[in-house]
Amino acid sequence: MTAVKIVKVLGTSEESWEDAAREAVAQASETIDDIHGIEVEDWTANVENGQITEYKTTVEVAFPVHEQQ
């Protein structure tokens, strides 16, 4: 049986929500091994003068819990 751990990560981008999600996964991959998937939980943005200035994507990152050896 495999246990899976899920953590929330917030990615940001000046380009798009999709880019913000990619950034969240890229950053999480630096400290989390063996990411199997993500679920987008929330898409938000900062707005100034009627324009989006920063896209934010909250993702749940799923990865297996490995036994310690």
Side-chain angles (χ1 to χ4, degrees):
M1 180 198 285
T2 301
V4 176
K5 187 169 188 175
I6 297 173
V7 297
K8 289 185 184 182
V9 181
L10 174 67
T12 61
S13 169
E14 294 179 355
E15 304 300 320
S16 68
W17 282 291
E18 291 84 359
D19 192 50
R22 282 190 286 275
E23 181 63 24
V25 173
Q27 291 293 317
S29 293
E30 292 184 12
T31 58
I32 299 172
D33 294 327
D34 210 13
I35 294 174
H36 280 243
I38 67 166
E39 180 177 340
V40 175
E41 183 177 82
D42 197 21
W43 296 13
T44 59
N46 291 345
V47 176
E48 292 180 20
N49 299 320
Q51 299 292 317
I52 294 176
T53 58
E54 184 176 48
Y55 297 86
K56 299 178 182 182
T57 304
T58 304
V59 298
E60 292 184 339
V61 177
F63 56 97
V65 176
H66 298 291
E67 292 183 25
Q68 299 231 349
Q69 299 178 6

